[in-house]
Amino acid sequence: MKELKVAQSAGFCFGVNRSVGMAEKLLEDKGMCASLGQLIHNEDVVRELTSKGLRVIERADEARPGEDVLIRAHGAAPEVYEELQKAGAVIHDATCPKVKAIHKIVTAAKEKNRFTVVIGMRNHPEVEAICGWCGEHKVLENAAELEQWLDENPCYWEKPITLVVQTTQTNSNFTECCNVIKKRCTNPEISDTICLATSTRQEEAARLASDCDAMVVIGGRHSANSVHLAEICREHCPCVEFIERADALDMDRLKTADTVGLTAGASTPAWIIKEVRNKMSDEIKVEESAVEKEKSFDEMLEETLKTIYNGDKVTGVVVAITGTEISVDLGAKYSGFIPTSEFTDDGIKVEDTVKVGDTIEAVVVRVNDVEGTAMLSKKRLDAAKMWNAVEEAVDNETVLEGVVTEENKGGVVVNVKGVRVFVPASQTDLPREADLAQLLKKTVRLKITEVNKARKRVVGSIRRVAQAERRERIENIWNEIEVGKKYHGTVKSLTSYGAFVDIGGVDGMVHVSELSWNRIKNPSEVVKVGDEIDVYVIALDPEKKKISLNDDFVDTYITAVTEQEDAMPITF
Ligand code: F3S
């Protein structure tokens, strides 16, 4: 063997690391605790924890009153929590936040009377727990099963169906199932709930397996993600060794391989990976790959478990979206989540802005070391960025957009991506006595006129933008207007001699005699304010901005809708 390539994503995932950490802390603090089921699919780790005082129980009613009981990363059904409470146990919930996100999705589906399809291994504890949170549901393992079930039950074709997938399933199985359900069902809602730690590991394993002559996969036989890793490697490499620990490795099988890849499931601790690696290095002269020369294995592990702090700017990938939060994979020790209230203040629906798989930036608001979660805020990061933009906007006279969120005596407050901009009543572009409440929740365009960052005071003007836009519209109209041109306009006011019609920023007058083929005495006989009508230009004088009238017409000026300075005469 000339080269050993170790997968960077090998070993404990965030969820497993967190649950083992919680068990170790409990054992350190209290000397004993219980886990409901095997804490992780790795006998060595469980044996070590058991030697320190961990008791593995199979059913909730085995818990003793007052006993600290860990719910493992796979999660548990709601009735399990109830039973543990009934038994008097103290619950420590180590459910992986990514699994919790699935519980939320299926709970929401249940509330909306949607049927849930769970793609996953029927008897796997994660899948069993998910089912506990579902309403009506069906577990199916692959696309073939899904297709057969739909063939046999056409009544589900038009039912609202929510599809979720076990976190450790392969992307290819999920994609095939999506294709089937999209083809057959008219109202499916699909959530890609495969854990990014899993898909990253699988993609890296597939790449390594394609590049190597042999692959070593370390993981428990009962570990779904390890079994899938071995399957993926077999698809790309003819020689795959699937082992639980170093002493099971048959070195003879690797002797003819020039390049060997090494990866491990999410429940394999770093020390077992090291043991296997050392065994390979000891028995055969390994020339380390360039990647390994640059970074030690410990450094690589540390990188995947990096710590984050309040106030840090982080980038992650959206892994789930529920009605209340967006789960974000940060590739760190912590699982990130953005409450929908911390996403944006613009009133935009989360689903319209981001989707699962998108990369998202946010700022860390609160790290919870016990739960291993980090609450994030996108709107606060947007606001910080916006402060810079707002300061620049004063100098550059940039037009910004925001939503009116408050109305007070002096004016209104506009939220411009998290920055509160005060617009005095005189700058709202409404008439003096108008009710400012009519602007509430409306999107407005404004210019910033004053910024005082220290006092967090920003003042803006909607009027300046509106005036400039009106001038532009008027100029455009005068540039292209000609006798005979047709416009669609709105009747703004009536006089005894005619109707004033707004043709898009400029008012023109239709003389009473031009309003109808029949003789009428007053314009109100045929039109009223607010009517939309088609009109033709019959005379104009662009030079003097004055109307040159036929004898039949009343000589008048036409005033543009804004101010006297914008006044421009035109007639139809
Ligand atoms: Fe959680 Fe993903 Fe691990 S779902 S337990 S981080 S494989």
Side-chain angles (χ1 to χ4, degrees):
M1 184 178 7
K2 293 193 181 124
E3 193 177 19
L4 169 63
K5 293 181 174 181
V6 183
Q8 292 201 28
S9 55
F12 272 10
C13 65
F14 150 76
V16 168
N17 190 54
R18 177 172 164 256
S19 63
V20 173
M22 282 172 79
E24 281 172 343
K25 180 94 190 12
L26 273 174
L27 292 171
E28 206 178 291
D29 292 350
K30 307 204 174 176
M32 58 167 63
C33 68
S35 76
L36 188 54
Q38 277 224 341
L39 194 63
I40 66 169
H41 290 306
N42 186 289
E43 281 172 16
D44 294 282
V45 175
V46 174
R47 200 176 307 123
E48 200 195 322
L49 291 172
T50 312
S51 71
K52 289 181 182 167
L54 179 79
R55 189 171 86 93
V56 180
I57 56 173
E58 293 307 323
R59 294 189 325 271
D61 60 9
E62 289 172 37
R64 297 169 187 151
E67 189 171 31
D68 293 287
V69 179
L70 271 161
I71 290 184
R72 55 192 171 171
H74 295 131
E79 44 287 7
V80 173
Y81 289 80
E82 283 164 25
E83 279 174 43
L84 282 173
Q85 269 163 357
K86 222 190 282 167
V90 181
I91 301 172
H92 298 266
D93 196 349
T95 307
C96 176
K98 290 163 194 177
V99 176
K100 270 231 162 96
I102 305 183
H103 296 174
K104 286 182 188 163
I105 294 171
V106 299
T107 304
K110 178 165 123 186
E111 281 159 10
K112 290 187 211 151
N113 286 324
R114 299 183 69 88
F115 188 90
T116 301
V117 169
V118 183
I119 302 295
M121 289 161 79
R122 221 160 260 118
N123 299 320
H124 191 279
E126 179 191 327
V127 174
E128 285 173 346
I130 292 170
C131 293
W133 295 89
C134 291
E136 267 197 294
H137 68 277
K138 181 85 186 161
V139 178
L140 296 156
E141 299 210 340
N142 50 44
E145 277 192 15
L146 176 62
E147 195 153 28
Q148 188 184 347
W149 175 70
L150 286 170
D151 277 348
E152 290 166 2
N153 299 281
C155 58
Y156 287 100
W157 296 0
E158 302 214 328
K159 271 198 177 173
I161 290 184
T162 294
L163 181 139
V164 292
V165 55
Q166 185 184 355
T167 53
T168 47
Q169 284 290 304
T170 60
N171 280 324
S172 57
N173 188 28
F174 174 64
T175 309
E176 282 165 24
C177 291
C178 290
N179 291 342
V180 170
I181 206 144
K182 280 188 202 155
K183 201 167 71 192
R184 289 291 173 84
C185 299
T186 54
N187 188 4
E189 248 177 33
I190 298 169
S191 294
D192 178 355
T193 46
I194 293 178
C195 166
L196 195 74
T198 305
S199 50
T200 308
R201 194 183 307 262
Q202 290 173 352
E203 281 159 21
E204 200 189 5
R207 264 197 316 274
L208 260 188
S210 313
D211 276 0
C212 295
D213 305 315
M215 278 298 293
V216 175
V217 180
I218 319 168
R221 300 269 155 203
H222 300 294
S223 157
N225 76 87
S226 306
V227 172
H228 283 142
L229 268 189
E231 281 168 9
I232 289 168
C233 290
R234 282 191 196 105
E235 284 168 21
H236 299 274
C237 180
C239 175
V240 176
E241 285 284 282
F242 182 27
I243 55 167
E244 292 204 29
R245 59 182 79 84
D247 54 21
L249 182 62
D250 179 1
M251 290 305 298
D252 287 342
R253 293 200 60 204
L254 304 179
K255 271 185 182 146
T256 54
D258 272 350
T259 313
V260 179
L262 176 63
T263 186
S267 46
T268 309
W271 61 267
I272 293 188
I273 304 174
K274 260 189 180 174
E275 254 181 29
V276 175
R277 183 181 170 278
N278 290 345
K279 180 173 179 178
M280 292 163 88
S281 310
D282 286 349
E283 292 199 16
I284 301 169
K285 194 178 170 310
V286 173
E287 289 174 19
E288 293 198 338
S289 72
V291 182
E292 281 196 285
K293 277 175 196 160
E294 278 168 22
K295 288 178 194 167
S296 73
F297 183 70
D298 289 341
E299 280 169 343
M300 288 195 287
L301 266 185
E302 188 51 38
E303 250 178 37
T304 62
L305 299 175
K306 63 178 182 277
T307 302
I308 51 176
Y309 300 97
N310 292 353
D312 279 1
K313 187 181 139 197
V314 289
T315 304
V317 176
V318 175
V319 289
I321 300 171
T322 68
T324 54
E325 66 184 40
I326 301 131
S327 299
V328 182
D329 191 315
L330 299 172
K333 262 188 209 172
Y334 305 92
S335 176
F337 70 98
I338 306 174
T340 41
S341 58
E342 287 294 326
F343 185 72
T344 171
D345 274 338
D346 295 346
I348 303 165
K349 272 191 175 173
V350 172
E351 298 83 349
D352 294 344
T353 324
V354 282
K355 57 183 184 325
V356 171
D358 282 358
T359 301
I360 197 167
E361 279 188 331
V363 67
V364 179
V365 178
R366 195 172 51 247
V367 172
N368 185 329
D369 282 314
V370 179
E371 290 191 356
T373 56
M375 183 176 130
L376 314 174
S377 173
K378 178 176 168 295
K379 76 176 186 189
R380 292 188 206 189
L381 182 68
D382 289 343
K385 282 187 191 164
M386 209 52 207
W387 267 104
N388 299 336
V390 157
E391 282 177 319
E392 280 171 19
V394 184
D395 301 333
N396 302 341
E397 298 220 4
T398 317
V399 175
L400 302 174
E401 225 174 59
V403 177
V404 179
T405 53
E406 284 170 46
E407 171 235 344
N408 55 42
K409 256 194 193 162
V412 293
V413 175
V414 182
N415 185 312
V416 181
K417 292 231 181 318
V419 176
R420 286 163 57 85
V421 181
F422 175 68
V423 177
S426 62
Q427 295 301 313
T428 57
D429 202 41
L430 290 179
R432 194 172 298 229
E433 297 304 324
D435 182 7
L436 297 178
Q438 64 185 284
L439 288 175
L440 283 175
K441 295 191 182 160
K442 291 221 168 100
T443 300
V444 292
R445 291 156 57 74
L446 71 167
K447 278 189 181 177
I448 305 300
T449 52
E450 188 191 326
V451 178
N452 185 331
K453 199 169 176 181
R455 292 177 57 204
K456 291 221 176 305
R457 181 182 152 84
V458 187
V459 182
S461 169
I462 299 170
R463 187 164 179 256
R464 277 201 198 174
V465 178
Q467 267 183 348
E469 288 175 348
R470 273 195 294 271
R471 279 199 196 100
E472 199 182 315
R473 279 202 302 276
I474 290 164
E475 220 175 284
N476 286 343
I477 285 182
W478 275 104
N479 284 342
E480 44 98 16
I481 197 164
E482 57 190 27
V483 170
K485 194 156 183 171
K486 186 179 171 184
Y487 287 92
H488 187 73
T490 307
V491 178
K492 295 287 294 286
S493 61
L494 299 176
T495 66
S496 58
Y497 50 82
F500 284 86
V501 179
D502 176 6
I503 58 160
V506 176
D507 286 358
M509 191 195 74
V510 187
H511 190 260
V512 65
S513 62
E514 296 291 338
L515 275 168
S516 169
W517 292 109
N518 302 320
R519 252 189 121 71
I520 54 168
K521 283 190 185 147
N522 195 293
S524 60
E525 290 174 41
V526 286
V527 287
K528 61 179 185 313
V529 172
D531 278 358
E532 288 188 16
I533 56 174
D534 287 330
V535 288
Y536 287 95
V537 177
I538 60 170
L540 62 108
D541 184 346
E543 290 283 297
K544 295 179 190 161
K545 301 279 190 241
K546 222 174 163 184
I547 301 158
S548 166
L549 294 168
N550 291 337
D551 291 346
D552 293 345
F553 297 109
V554 177
D555 193 358
T556 183
Y557 287 91
I558 309 298
T559 310
V561 284
T562 51
E563 301 169 318
Q564 203 52 41
E565 63 187 80
D566 294 328
M568 293 186 189
I570 171 180
T571 188
F572 303 111

